[in-house]
């Protein structure tokens, strides 16, 4: 069930592979319960198997049939789950909560009478990296909007630590795993006019096919559009037909195919497994050795994309009614392409977007939305390199930037998407083009300080556990406020340490010069110091850990002694990270701001030098006053 509801990804390590592999040392009581459950499964009695906790797929495997066939037989025999209210009063008085859970072989509590049509909204499930509170925001606003539109909002979610599972958010809440069997049981009971899958992130999208095959309608973007965006071969054919550029790509099933594809595409390549959350197991590979290492860590087919280096990455949130598109927000990542969008600071409006590039982005989004068949929210991730716009990814659902974009532009995108899903057109909504007067920055909250030994290097695999938002009259002030809110206040004086990879050294000169101009003392390792000194900067050399003589102070010693106020360290690949890892670990322990990308360093220095003091205003005050 954990795999089915995506609490665990396929291939994740588990204590044991099957119930036949129970290790020694398991308490006898648990062994007895496992044996009892196995006996009930072997009995062939569907009700007994269900009461023992077995899912349709497991029963089907025992009987030699599919899970769908087990479901059909259950319905024929009347073996259906019973839904009971959660007793929120501990048995003291009659409970009248709207919380329900499923069980087997008990009396069913009937639904309250209602003339309103019902909509089932699928939540985001367990919070984990890549799927968190941003999607809960979307689900809450979806429930509120559908209730305002005259529907009964029925929420399905298995995470009680969310606002979407509060007692007053929806008309009814089902605490059920987000897997096909449990969701279909709720839909069969509720008989909704539609099921909404686009607000809970990637998890509900995986259920769209099963929901439609179960005879229920997807409200908003249909499964066909979801499948078109997810199937790289079909999506690649679509963008070629539309004349939209996409980096070269290939699908590989094993290492030999991956090496062949990489040779055709050309290094560097981005390797990512199919259907992952938060970029898990994604790697940027610069040679065959790194590709071999990346392939050994994944299971099943992988997608290889040509990695677009030194590109500006954009996130675009838009609304589409199946025919026309409304572009709500074009956001620029502070870090270059290659850093997961959930980890990169994000700026709205995009500061580096030229008029020509903005028009090209608009052209791409307005062609892709209707071609995909999106009805509701659409998120596109784009890269701009040498003036060329590339489509990296299309998501026919709410993205994690929707709450940020909605607050920054003063428009509830979820509410608009719900109205489109309910049948309205964009023309009916009469939306005006957002023209924000403030600069808003979304910064990631990173958990490294809580995990001793963690390496804070950012890459294509998402690592953040939250985010903050700050708005100001200019970018430096907004960025400085966001970094302070995220727990990384930028220093305004002191000593800055720099150690960057060879390809970042030309850009590091400007960063170091700006720091020197702000009064910072500069310290660097030998290679970086040589480049900066050649540019006319005064700099102090410090030894790497690996090169230090006995008793010679190293950069790690400087950080530990509190002699560094800012660390800029950009590693290259995995082989060059040994020394850098010790530097970054020391910075974490000493709570010294540590920047691991050169573009992030440039933005941080810009914020240090140009941030201004501003009076604090609430979001409501800013939007209400137009400030």
């Amino acid at each position: 069930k954990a795999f089915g509801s995506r609490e665990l990804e396929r291939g994740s390590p588990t204590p044991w592979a099957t119930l036949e592999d129970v290790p020694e040392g398991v308490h006898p009581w648990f062994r007895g319960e496992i044996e009892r459950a196995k006996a009930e499964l072997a009995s062939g009695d569907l009700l007994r198997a269900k009461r023992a906790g077995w899912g349709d797929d497991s029963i089907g495997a025992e009987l030699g049939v599919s899970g769908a066939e087990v479901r059909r037989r259950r319905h024929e025999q009347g073996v259906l789950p019973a839904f009971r209210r959660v007793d929120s009063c501990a048995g003291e008085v009659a409970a009248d909560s709207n919380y329900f859970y499923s069980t087997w072989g008990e009396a069913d509590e009937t639904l309250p009478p209602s003339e309103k049509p019902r909509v089932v909204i699928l939540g985001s499930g367990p919070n984990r990296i890549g799927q968190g509170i941003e999607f809960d925001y979307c689900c809450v606003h979806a429930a509120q909007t559908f209730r305002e539109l005259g529907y009964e909002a029925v929420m399905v979610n298995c995470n009680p630590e969310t606002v979407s599972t509060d007692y007053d958010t929806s008309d009814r809440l089902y605490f059920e795993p987000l897997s096909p069997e449990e969701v279909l049981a709720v839909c069969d009971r509720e008989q909704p006019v539609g099921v909404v899958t686009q607000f809970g992130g990637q998890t509900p999208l995986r259920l769209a096919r099963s929901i439609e095959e179960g005879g229920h309608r997807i409200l908003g973007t249909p499964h066909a559009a979801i499948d078109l965006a997810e199937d790289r071969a079909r999506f690649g054919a679509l963008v070629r037909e539309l004349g939209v550029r996409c980096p070269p790509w290939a699908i590989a099933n094993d290492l030999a195919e991956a090496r062949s594809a990489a040779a055709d595409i050309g290094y560097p390549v981005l390797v990512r497994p199919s259907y992952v959350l938060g970029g898990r197991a994604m790697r940027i590979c610069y040679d065959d050795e790194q590709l071999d290492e990346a392939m050994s860590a994944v299971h099943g087919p992988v997608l290889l994309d040509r990695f677009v280096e030194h590109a500006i990455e954009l996130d675009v949130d838009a609304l589409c009614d199946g025919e026309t598109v409304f572009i709500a927000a074009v956001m620029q990542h502070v870090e270059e392409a290659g850093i997961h969008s959930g980890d990169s600071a994000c700026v709205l409006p995009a500061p580096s977007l030229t008029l020509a590039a903005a028009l090209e982005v608009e052209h791409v989004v307005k062609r892709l939305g209707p071609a995909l068949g999106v009805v509701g929210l659409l998120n596109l991730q784009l890269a701009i390199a040498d003036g060329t716009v590339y489509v990296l990814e299309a998501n026919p659902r709410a993205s994690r930037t929707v709450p940020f974009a909605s607050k920054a532009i003063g428009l509830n995108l979820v509410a608009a998407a719900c109205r489109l899903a309910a049948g309205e057109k964009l023309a009916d909504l009469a939306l005006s083009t957002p023209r924000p007067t403030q600069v808003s920055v979304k910064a990631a909250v990173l958990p490294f300080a809580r995990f001793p030994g963690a390496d804070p290097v950012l890459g294509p695999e998402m690592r953040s556990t939250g985010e903050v938002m700050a708005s100001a009259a200019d970018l430096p002030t907004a960025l400085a406020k966001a970094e302070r809110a995220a727990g990384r206040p930028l220093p305004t004086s002191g000593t800055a340490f720099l150690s960057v990879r060879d390809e970042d050294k030309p850009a590091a000169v400007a960063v170091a010069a700006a720091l020197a101009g702000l009064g910072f003392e500069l310290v660097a390792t030998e290679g970086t110091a040589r480049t900066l000194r050649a540019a006319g900067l005064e700099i102090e050399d410090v030894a790497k850990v690996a090169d230090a003589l006995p008793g010679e102070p190293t950069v790690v010693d400087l950080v530990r002694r509190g002699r560094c106020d800012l660390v800029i360290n950009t590693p290259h690949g995995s082989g060059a990270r040994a020394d850098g890892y010790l530097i970054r670990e020391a910075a974490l322990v000493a709570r010294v701001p540590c920047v691991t990308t050169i573009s992030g360093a440039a933005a941080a220095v810009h914020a240090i030098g140009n941030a201004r003091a501003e009076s604090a205003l609430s979001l409501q005050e800013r939007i209400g006053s137009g400030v």
Side-chain angles (χ1 to χ4, degrees), residues 403-409 440-443 467-471 478 481-482 485 619:
F404 168 68
S406 296
K407 294 171 183 177
I409 65 177
S440 295
V441 172
K442 175 178 75 73
E467 61 188 22
V468 297
M469 173 181 174
S471 296
K481 287 170 67 176
L619 185 66

Side-chain angles (χ1 to χ4, degrees), residues 593-604:
C594 180
V595 186
T596 62
T597 65
I598 199 67
S599 52

